Amino acid sequence: MRLVVAAVGGLKRGPERELEGRYFERIIKAGRAVGIRGATISELGESPARRAADRISEEAAKLTKEIPDGAAVVALDERGESLSSEALAQRIGRWRDDGRPALVFLIGGPDGLAPELVAKADLRLAFGRMTWPHQLARIMILEQLYRAIAILSRHPYHRP
């Protein structure tokens, strides 16, 4: 299974970009042991449209292109479900074992994700009830992906 993090907006050079790179490298190296064949981070530009509805629609079209056929889709959504790290790892393991070719995490722009994109997701995931900056959400999901890999491989990184 391949992992894809598709995010509207980019990270600037600096500590956030460095942290992203650190977790991405860990995912690539450790993922092989649990059937993760690779990972991609897709940075998609924010829509320049004036109306929020138009921006959301344009960004949804870009995000949709990042979803391979048969992929499991997780929409990061503040109204989504809050899972423990162990529960997320179990879901990832189940999708892998079910033969899903890819697992795609969608991070919308400042206006959020299009409702139709959220409705199609296999999971709506929230990092609690707080709203997080998109840059931090991106790093947080990468850390949780690495943690899920550690849980699935019984690596001591995760200590419950």
Side-chain angles (χ1 to χ4, degrees):
M1 181 170 67
R2 291 192 52 75
L3 299 177
V4 177
V5 175
V8 175
L11 293 180
K12 296 178 180 148
R13 286 190 304 172
E16 293 91 354
R17 179 68 75 182
E18 292 171 18
L19 198 52
E20 175 193 59
R22 188 177 317 154
Y23 283 117
F24 185 75
E25 286 179 26
R26 289 178 180 183
I27 288 167
I28 296 295
K29 289 178 184 172
R32 293 182 200 115
V34 295
I36 304 298
R37 295 189 330 267
T40 306
I41 299 172
S42 297
E43 283 188 358
L44 309 170
E46 290 181 30
S47 168
R50 301 189 101 199
R51 293 177 353 121
D54 295 336
R55 287 191 299 270
I56 290 170
S57 178
E58 290 175 13
E59 292 166 359
K62 292 178 187 178
L63 287 166
T64 299
K65 290 179 183 175
E66 300 297 317
I67 304 171
D69 289 339
V73 177
V74 177
L76 270 62
D77 180 8
E78 64 186 9
R79 292 167 301 281
E81 187 177 348
S82 292
L83 297 178
S84 68
S85 297
E86 293 88 350
L88 180 60
Q90 287 176 342
R91 295 243 186 138
I92 292 170
R94 191 173 335 127
W95 288 322
R96 176 203 58 199
D97 295 346
D98 288 345
R100 296 287 190 110
L103 172 56
V104 181
F105 288 83
L106 301 176
I107 303 173
D111 299 302
L113 291 169
E116 61 272 13
L117 207 50
V118 174
K120 290 180 186 176
D122 296 275
L123 172 64
R124 290 173 50 200
L125 182 64
F127 291 128
R129 295 182 60 194
M130 294 180 188
T131 301
W132 293 93
H134 292 80
Q135 299 89 340
L136 288 180
R138 190 155 134 187
I139 293 166
M140 290 164 64
I141 198 58
L142 289 169
E143 191 281 337
Q144 285 299 299
L145 286 170
Y146 175 65
R147 185 173 297 276
I149 290 167
I151 291 168
L152 292 171
S153 65
R154 294 181 174 86
H155 186 278
Y157 175 80
H158 177 74
R159 293 177 184 95

